[in-house]
Amino acid sequence: MQCLENASLKARNTFGMDVKADRLWILCSREEEEEFLRSPWAKQPFFILGSGANVLFTKDFHGSVVHLETQGIRMGAARDGRVRVEVAAGECWDDFVRFCVDKGLYGVENLALIPSQVGSAVVQNIGAYGREVKDVVHAVKAWHVATAEMKVFSKEECDFAYRSSFFKTVGKGEWLIHSVEFELSTEAAYHTGYGDVAERLQAWGETSLRAVYEVISEIRREKLPDVRELGSAGSFFKNPVISLEKCQALQAAHPEFKAFPASEGRKKLSAAQLIDSLGWKGRRSGDVGVHERQALVLVNYGRATGGEVWRFAQAIQADVQRHYGILLEPEVIVL
Ligand code: EPU
């Protein structure tokens, strides 16, 4: 296994923050994962960095950062229209989605082009266009950090919720995901009810697995900045989930605010709409700004520091809180 000391993380986080880690461990196989976990370095807290697409570094990281570069996609035999596919945690999420599209496996095409690794996709329960990773996870194999033993988590044990899981909450810092087993369908099953997906498909001329992948990629490219050109971490805040009563009171004053069904007795609002309504879209201070096409996306125009992005985010948070009495929770991990 490889350890880089005083390692730059600039190319390893999509905000492009120029920070360093005391040690960066690169693990490329199951053996290296185990070797690291049995080493004294794993006895101190460490941070697992996936593709760096959901993290804001505000300072150098004093400690160990672990990055998986494990690979492998193993497809089982189809039975009754279902197929199980086991994928290494270090695989690139979109490579896996494209693998599924090529093999005619339905279930992850709405999650096209999301910058993530497969392991972090589970930690974070990534979601887009009406689907979430939890819809297709069958089981997760993860190392218990304290004992270096592997455990298989059922989907229920993963305790998925909106942009959250066991690994992000109760189990935080205690588990290293090794691989994820997905259950996909070999029979056509489309989920095109979100936004203008159905309309776009019509314009595309056909509804097929590939067409859904392409249409969703197209929407993402139009709305979200390409992180290779402009630093960002996708949605900076989560969409707030509030009580029915609070939602009714807010909509009485602001009938234009959309509300979506959430868990029982609660409603999910569009954070983008709240932020947008206060005139933040396209606003910029130095090299930090709110993206011009999506109010939920903060961008680094070049030389912004993590501290500057975080202060800008807090100003948005305070403004939304003052006007609507809602505290927006960051979706990104702020370190
Ligand atoms: N809207 C505005 N202003 C904007 C953008 C959007 O008012 O600048 C309103 C529009 O009314 C729109 C609604 O917000 O209909 C929803 O917008 P969008 O479809 O872009 O979705 P979102 O709720 O802002 C969520 C996810 C995204 C995901 C999209 C599509 C969260 C925090 N974000 O954004 O995920 O791609 O839905 O499914 O749940 C991410 O997590 O990093 C991410 C990009």
Side-chain angles (χ1 to χ4, degrees), residues 100-109 185 189-190 206-214:
C100 293
V101 171
D102 290 343
K103 300 278 182 202
L105 304 179
Y106 295 77
V108 284
E109 60 283 358
S185 173
Y190 300 107
E206 63 171 39
T207 299
S208 63
L209 196 47
R210 191 161 301 279
V212 173
Y213 179 86
E214 294 299 340

Side-chain angles (χ1 to χ4, degrees), residues 54 124 127-130 162-163 194 220 223-224 233-239 258 260 268 270-274 276 281 293-297 331:
N54 201 47
Q124 160 79 353
Y129 305 98
Y162 169 56
R163 292 297 190 278
Y194 187 98
R220 288 189 73 89
K223 282 204 186 157
L224 300 167
S235 301
F236 194 91
F237 298 104
K238 289 191 214 176
N239 285 327
K258 295 179 187 171
F260 306 90
K268 195 194 273 179
S270 157
Q273 199 180 18
L274 300 181
D276 208 352
K281 189 146 78 181
R293 292 190 301 274
Q294 226 300 1
L296 203 44
V297 176
E331 194 209 294

Side-chain angles (χ1 to χ4, degrees), residues 279-298:
W280 284 93
K281 189 146 78 181
R283 205 186 280 181
R284 180 170 171 171
S285 160
D287 265 358
V288 191
V290 174
H291 189 48
E292 283 165 359
R293 292 190 301 274
Q294 226 300 1
L296 203 44
V297 176
L298 298 194

Side-chain angles (χ1 to χ4, degrees), residues 60-110:
D60 287 341
F61 189 89
H62 294 299
S64 287
V65 169
V66 169
H67 177 71
L68 298 188
E69 285 187 6
T70 51
Q71 289 190 320
I73 304 184
R74 217 172 47 215
M75 188 171 152
R79 197 185 306 155
D80 301 329
R82 319 285 309 161
V83 165
R84 300 248 173 97
V85 184
E86 186 177 354
V87 189
E91 281 280 355
C92 161
W93 173 260
D94 192 55
D95 287 353
F96 166 57
V97 175
R98 280 188 285 117
F99 169 92
C100 293
V101 171
D102 290 343
K103 300 278 182 202
L105 304 179
Y106 295 77
V108 284
E109 60 283 358
N110 287 32

